[in-house]
Amino acid sequence: MPHTGSCLCGQTKITITSTLKDQAICHCIDCRKAGGSAYSTNGLAKREDVTIEGPVKVFTAIADTGRETTRTFCTNCGTQISQGSQNFPEMQIVKTGILDDFATIPIGAEVYIKDRCDGIKALDNVAQFTKLPGQ
């Protein structure tokens, strides 16, 4: 089932032609700062399955892995749309909170739990990773 979504102002739209099997909650400091929240929700899709239309800007930074990560934002309202990482260059990290069917995509993992804020408890029956799986 394809997924569609948009930014807060509606000018930037995203379409994913494949189905996201699950999403991950990321507690890393970069995601917290980029989103201004305690964590971000993310899904992995093949880069070729993701289409973004509308005004966007890309910001590139070095993650704690030492590799580049790129964040795509709507230039009008600032909503995060997606992210790319050299850790998995063939994939696009989609910010699932912008998807129309966000609430129907199961949460499969929590990553960077070492940076989880006090008071936020681990989800039951969800894989827990100190950093990214494999790190």
Side-chain angles (χ1 to χ4, degrees), residues 12 52 54-60 70-83 92:
T12 301
I52 299 171
V56 296
K57 180 173 175 127
V58 175
F59 173 75
T60 301
T70 57
R71 294 176 185 274
T72 303
F73 299 85
C74 171
T75 57
N76 187 54
C77 66
T79 299
Q80 289 186 74
I81 306 298
S82 70
Q83 185 176 336
Q92 188 78 6

Side-chain angles (χ1 to χ4, degrees), residues 63-69 84-90 112 132 135:
D64 72 340
T65 61
R67 295 177 169 220
E68 280 189 359
T69 184
S85 172
Q86 290 179 330
N87 289 321
F88 22 85
E90 71 287 351
Y112 278 88
L132 289 175
Q135 281 191 327

Side-chain angles (χ1 to χ4, degrees), residues 9-124:
C9 72
Q11 289 187 17
T12 301
K13 299 186 182 335
I14 188 168
T15 302
I16 306 166
T17 57
S18 55
T19 300
L20 297 175
K21 69 176 182 121
D22 61 12
Q23 58 183 317
I25 292 175
C26 183
H27 298 278
C28 82
I29 294 167
D30 288 349
C31 281
R32 289 198 335 239
K33 287 185 176 190
S37 186
Y39 55 83
S40 67
T41 56
N42 307 283
L44 275 177
K46 289 183 181 175
R47 192 173 291 278
E48 64 206 33
D49 294 345
V50 178
T51 303
I52 299 171
E53 297 174 317
V56 296
K57 180 173 175 127
V58 175
F59 173 75
T60 301
I62 304 299
D64 72 340
T65 61
R67 295 177 169 220
E68 280 189 359
T69 184
T70 57
R71 294 176 185 274
T72 303
F73 299 85
C74 171
T75 57
N76 187 54
C77 66
T79 299
Q80 289 186 74
I81 306 298
S82 70
Q83 185 176 336
S85 172
Q86 290 179 330
N87 289 321
F88 22 85
E90 71 287 351
M91 305 299 279
Q92 188 78 6
I93 303 165
V94 176
K95 300 301 180 178
T96 54
I98 67 168
L99 299 178
D100 299 329
D101 61 347
F102 162 75
T104 67
I105 305 167
I107 297 171
E110 289 189 79
V111 298
Y112 278 88
I113 61 170
K114 70 180 189 67
D115 297 326
R116 182 174 22 227
C117 295
D118 291 343
I120 296 179
K121 303 296 181 204
L123 294 175
D124 292 335

